[in-house]
Amino acid sequence: MDYTRIMQSLLTETKLLARNVQGEHRRILTFHDPSLYRECISQWKHLADHGPLHPSVTCSPLTQTIIAPASRTAVIEKEFREELTVEEDSRIHIHAVQGSIATLTGIPWGVKHIKAPQAWSVSTGHRIKIGVIDTGVDFAHPDLKHSLGRGINLVNRAIPPYDDNGHGTHISGTIAAANSTRGMIGVAPRSIVYPVKAFDHNGSAFVSDIVLAIDWCIRNQVDIINMSFGMQSRSRALLEVVGKANQSGVIIVASSGNDGKRRTADYPARYPQTISVGATDRNRKIPSFSNRGQFVDIYAPGDKIVSAWLQGRYHEMSGTSMATSHISGTIALLLAQRPGLRTTAIKSLLRRTSTPLRLRKGYSHSDGEVNALKFLREGMKLQG
């Protein structure tokens, strides 16, 4: 097949349309044959005078995926229709209910509630790398300045992953804040958050941004990926990269969604390769906003959670996003002592050591809230 002609056509269209890509629909092209993907990328780079791909086009070698504006992919889609899976690059949103400014010193109620402080004599999550795919982080926040790795900004690669929304900073605070004198303490205060900014200031991203974010996390050998976002439609590309992360031994923790539904969860939390998280309140009950049921693996505090915010402040927020950060921190406590544990074992342990949820009458026999102390104690008996 004449790869040169096909890639030349794509490159030409890219140059002609370079000024008009803002807001244009994108496509995700996943090649079934890795060698075909490599050949196409090789030819394209050769034609582009051995330079990088045009900024409007990105790729994930891990999943053999090319992401480009829809107007530029027609030739490839036509020529390789038997060798490709093509999907629209859908929007995806963070999972939080907007809250209010708050004050905080010490240990937040959720961190206390799951008994994380009682576990710190055994583990604080020392040097466990957690990729937080979100809106970035406030690098200047006093509670986070000793808890952050460099990370990456996929929205604007020219600058660090600064948070222009607040959600990513809030998530990072619950996981790894470490200011015992004047600020707050997170679940795993000696773990390291690597902010991967895939979401804009509105808390919105594309599936392709998440694919590239997970790709980055795998290549940079993070231990845990926190994904406090979701969508209701399936994505082949997202499933592929989640599977790759799972195969690499990365633990993916994902929020189930804030639709208050009883028998479903958003993607990617619905994929079995992830740990799907629902929210609880101070009474160990499921708040009305949280999804629940068979696709939720574990529950954690997610109602009226105060954590770090922009400009060194604090904010109260609710959502399965907030619950997810408690679980990521809890898993970090164990991985620091038992590295190498896989998703299946951790998921089973979370369920087995959980505290039954409260129902209107009695307690749940199937759903439970995380107990970090019991999880760590029982997990220490396992071999990684």
Side-chain angles (χ1 to χ4, degrees), residues 129 194 215-222:
K129 297 167 69 174
Y194 285 77
D215 185 308
W216 185 91
C217 287
I218 297 169
R219 288 186 288 105
N220 285 272
Q221 299 180 316
V222 305

Side-chain angles (χ1 to χ4, degrees), residues 259-273:
D259 303 305
K261 294 183 178 178
R262 295 185 177 277
R263 288 181 290 276
T264 190
D266 284 358
Y267 296 98
R270 190 161 172 171
Y271 295 135
Q273 299 93 333

Side-chain angles (χ1 to χ4, degrees), residues 1 58 69 92 142 158 231 249 273 283 303-305 330 355 383:
M1 186 175 288
T58 51
I92 194 163
M231 63 180 186
Q273 299 93 333
N283 298 314
D303 186 47
K304 297 182 175 63
I305 302 300
T330 298
T355 306
Q383 297 298 317

Side-chain angles (χ1 to χ4, degrees), residues 14 26 35 42 58 63 83 112 129 142 165 169 172 180 206 239 244 257 261 342 381:
T14 299
R26 293 187 290 184
S35 61
S42 175
T58 51
T63 55
E83 290 89 10
K112 291 179 183 176
K129 297 167 69 174
N165 174 280
T169 299
S172 300
S180 59
F206 287 96
L239 175 59
K244 294 284 185 182
K261 294 183 178 178
R342 306 294 286 234
K381 300 175 185 177

Side-chain angles (χ1 to χ4, degrees), residues 310-325:
L310 304 181
Q311 300 179 332
R313 298 177 181 176
Y314 301 94
H315 214 68
E316 180 187 280
M317 298 188 82
S318 297
T320 53
S321 279
M322 288 65 244
T324 299
S325 52

Side-chain angles (χ1 to χ4, degrees), residues 67-120:
I67 304 110
S71 60
R72 301 169 199 189
T73 62
V75 175
I76 293 183
E77 290 181 45
K78 180 180 178 182
E79 295 289 343
F80 297 119
R81 58 183 176 272
E82 301 298 325
E83 290 89 10
L84 283 175
T85 298
V86 181
E87 61 182 274
E88 291 289 332
D89 194 6
S90 304
R91 283 275 184 182
I92 194 163
H93 301 278
I94 54 178
H95 277 154
V97 180
Q98 194 61 40
S100 57
I101 296 172
T103 57
L104 174 68
T105 53
I107 305 172
W109 81 261
V111 178
K112 291 179 183 176
H113 189 75
I114 65 172
K115 295 182 168 54
Q118 289 97 309
W120 291 338

Side-chain angles (χ1 to χ4, degrees), residues 48-344:
D49 298 323
H50 306 285
L53 298 179
H54 190 274
S56 68
V57 180
T58 51
C59 59
S60 168
L62 210 61
T63 55
Q64 298 93 52
T65 297
I66 292 176
I67 304 110
S71 60
R72 301 169 199 189
T73 62
V75 175
I76 293 183
E77 290 181 45
K78 180 180 178 182
E79 295 289 343
F80 297 119
R81 58 183 176 272
E82 301 298 325
E83 290 89 10
L84 283 175
T85 298
V86 181
E87 61 182 274
E88 291 289 332
D89 194 6
S90 304
R91 283 275 184 182
I92 194 163
H93 301 278
I94 54 178
H95 277 154
V97 180
Q98 194 61 40
S100 57
I101 296 172
T103 57
L104 174 68
T105 53
I107 305 172
W109 81 261
V111 178
K112 291 179 183 176
H113 189 75
I114 65 172
K115 295 182 168 54
Q118 289 97 309
W120 291 338
S121 61
V122 178
S123 177
T124 52
H126 184 58
R127 302 198 68 78
I128 292 299
K129 297 167 69 174
I130 305 172
V132 175
I133 301 175
D134 216 288
T135 61
V137 73
D138 179 1
F139 281 88
H141 200 292
D143 299 3
L144 289 169
K145 61 184 180 181
H146 299 301
S147 305
L148 300 174
R150 188 170 184 176
I152 188 173
N153 188 335
L154 297 174
V155 176
N156 182 353
R157 290 178 183 254
I159 61 175
Y162 298 130
D163 192 354
D164 49 8
N165 174 280
H167 187 271
T169 299
H170 196 283
I171 296 300
S172 300
T174 299
I175 294 172
N179 188 352
S180 59
T181 54
R182 294 188 177 181
M184 68 171 285
I185 307 174
V187 177
R190 297 195 70 193
S191 63
I192 304 171
V193 165
Y194 285 77
V196 182
K197 183 174 174 60
F199 289 80
D200 63 19
H201 66 285
N202 292 317
S204 178
F206 287 96
V207 168
S208 61
D209 299 320
I210 308 308
V211 170
L212 296 173
I214 296 174
D215 185 308
W216 185 91
C217 287
I218 297 169
R219 288 186 288 105
N220 285 272
Q221 299 180 316
V222 305
D223 303 295
I224 302 165
I225 298 176
N226 187 99
M227 302 203 297
S228 292
F229 53 81
M231 63 180 186
Q232 295 180 3
S233 58
R234 296 172 182 266
S235 164
R236 167 74 180 268
L238 186 56
L239 175 59
E240 284 279 331
V241 76
V242 165
K244 294 284 185 182
N246 188 54
Q247 291 168 18
S248 301
V250 181
I251 310 300
I252 294 183
V253 187
S255 53
S256 62
N258 298 338
D259 303 305
K261 294 183 178 178
R262 295 185 177 277
R263 288 181 290 276
T264 190
D266 284 358
Y267 296 98
R270 190 161 172 171
Y271 295 135
Q273 299 93 333
T274 72
I275 295 171
S276 174
V277 185
T280 52
D281 61 18
R282 289 174 181 264
N283 298 314
R284 211 183 309 132
K285 293 181 178 180
I286 302 174
S288 60
F289 61 77
S290 178
N291 286 350
R292 64 204 73 189
Q294 67 188 87
F295 296 107
V296 178
D297 298 310
I298 189 71
Y299 293 82
D303 186 47
K304 297 182 175 63
I305 302 300
V306 177
S307 186
W309 198 250
L310 304 181
Q311 300 179 332
R313 298 177 181 176
Y314 301 94
H315 214 68
E316 180 187 280
M317 298 188 82
S318 297
T320 53
S321 279
M322 288 65 244
T324 299
S325 52
H326 285 84
I327 299 298
S328 293
T330 298
I331 295 170
L333 296 178
L334 179 57
L335 289 185
Q337 300 298 318
R338 290 291 181 269
L341 290 176
R342 306 294 286 234
T343 298
T344 304

